[in-house]
Amino acid sequence: MSYFKTQEEFLTDIECLERQPRVPLAFLPTPIHELKRASKTLNGPKLFIKRDDQTGLALGGNKTRKLEYLLADALKKDVDTIITAGAIQSNHCRQTAAACSKMGLRCELLLKSKPPEEIQGNVLLDLLCGAHIHWSETEDLQSIAKKSQEAGHKPYVVPYGGSNEIGALAYANAMVEIQQQLKENFTHIVFASCSAGTQSGLVIGSKLTKFDGKIVGISIEYGKEDQGYYLKMLSDLANLTCSRIGAKVTFTMDDFIVNTEYAKGYAVIGDLERDAVLFMARQEGILLDPVYTGRAFGGLLDMIEKGAFSKDDKILFWHTGGTPALFARGKELL
Ligand SMILES: *Cc1c(COP(=O)(O)O)cnc(C)c1O
């Protein structure tokens, strides 16, 4: 037995995170700024925003950060094609298509829908970036990958939302990023949470950086009845991610805060979402999206109205992108 420790054993958890391979795709750090007019109008806690809608790749969004790690893994594996899937207006698929352009990879997207009558929003951008789209409500990623292989390609499958133990690294690292940026001590970070990657990552990062505010995910898809299921998904993903990189922290469901109150049907636009999109556009000139950030910010506005925060609180709303979906759903917003 060696008397000396190996170099690995001396690494701090943050060093474990920082040595993970990534390809540069995003403009980082994304800005943080105060929402001065909105805070004044609401007369509640001070609001700030983290602009991951400005990550830069084909109109940006949170998936660009995840793809930095996912594509680094893909490129190690001698593949020529990336395959992923999502809803018709998937921001994840659009950013994957754009990342593939930049990295010189083929891109196949499974969009779980019938072909639309009008090419709009993210679908337009998918096609501009040269992605090959499979329109199907019944096929799955594995069957698309099999077909791609049979056609002579070497595919790499990225899961829905890029949310696995590789993609989640991106938001752990984003917490390191904001700690280096911070001039404020935020009491809360609030954002749209859907396929677990963003929230698992943020909570890992908050533990590693000893951030002492609360990380509050507004659930987009999982309602009250699925709260336990989603909390388990979040903690399992956080544990898997940390064991992959050799970070010595563990998580339970109690480490996660998820508000499921606003998850009333995926991509259903109601007053909550519409009012939030209009409020942010008219107070701050910032564009939210109708599916994710509109719902999450609408939830935050509702929580403020119900007195969930004190006037001394400083809240960071993490804008996760999605702007192109506005163009596909414009009629429902005005
Ligand atoms: C995918 C997405 C989210 C949710 O991120 P997850 O990591 O899936 O929880 C939030 N906002 C936008 C705009 C998205 O595209």
Side-chain angles (χ1 to χ4, degrees), residues 141-263:
L141 274 169
Q142 292 320 317
S143 72
I144 302 288
K146 191 156 171 277
K147 279 188 202 160
S148 180
Q149 227 155 12
E150 284 163 4
H153 305 300
K154 289 184 255 173
Y156 177 94
V157 174
V158 171
Y160 283 82
S163 286
N164 61 11
E165 67 279 16
I166 301 171
L169 292 169
Y171 273 87
N173 203 49
M175 276 311 287
V176 179
E177 176 181 304
I178 72 162
Q179 294 296 74
Q180 290 161 354
Q181 243 180 333
L182 277 190
K183 290 164 222 83
E184 301 282 346
N185 278 325
F186 297 117
T187 55
H188 301 78
I189 294 177
V190 179
F191 58 96
S193 185
C194 192
S195 69
T198 301
Q199 187 159 3
S200 284
L202 288 176
V203 169
I204 293 168
S206 78
K207 211 169 230 188
L208 301 192
T209 59
K210 303 188 167 54
F211 173 74
D212 62 6
K214 291 197 165 86
I215 309 275
V216 182
I218 307 290
S219 176
I220 301 305
E221 193 160 2
Y222 296 109
K224 275 223 155 48
E225 62 291 354
D226 296 319
Q227 173 129 7
Y229 173 82
Y230 193 48
L231 289 172
K232 173 100 174 37
M233 195 166 140
L234 286 161
S235 56
D236 285 352
L237 180 56
N239 285 324
L240 192 62
T241 305
C242 286
S243 70
R244 178 187 164 87
I245 64 170
K248 295 162 276 301
V249 283
T250 55
F251 297 86
T252 69
M253 284 159 63
D254 294 337
D255 289 309
F256 295 87
I257 304 170
V258 175
N259 186 333
T260 52
E261 204 172 312
Y262 308 103

Side-chain angles (χ1 to χ4, degrees), residues 62-63 66 91 163 192-198 289 292 320-322:
N62 64 340
K63 305 310 181 306
K66 300 180 185 184
N91 302 300
S163 286
S193 185
C194 192
S195 69
T198 301
D289 82 286
Y292 296 93
T320 45

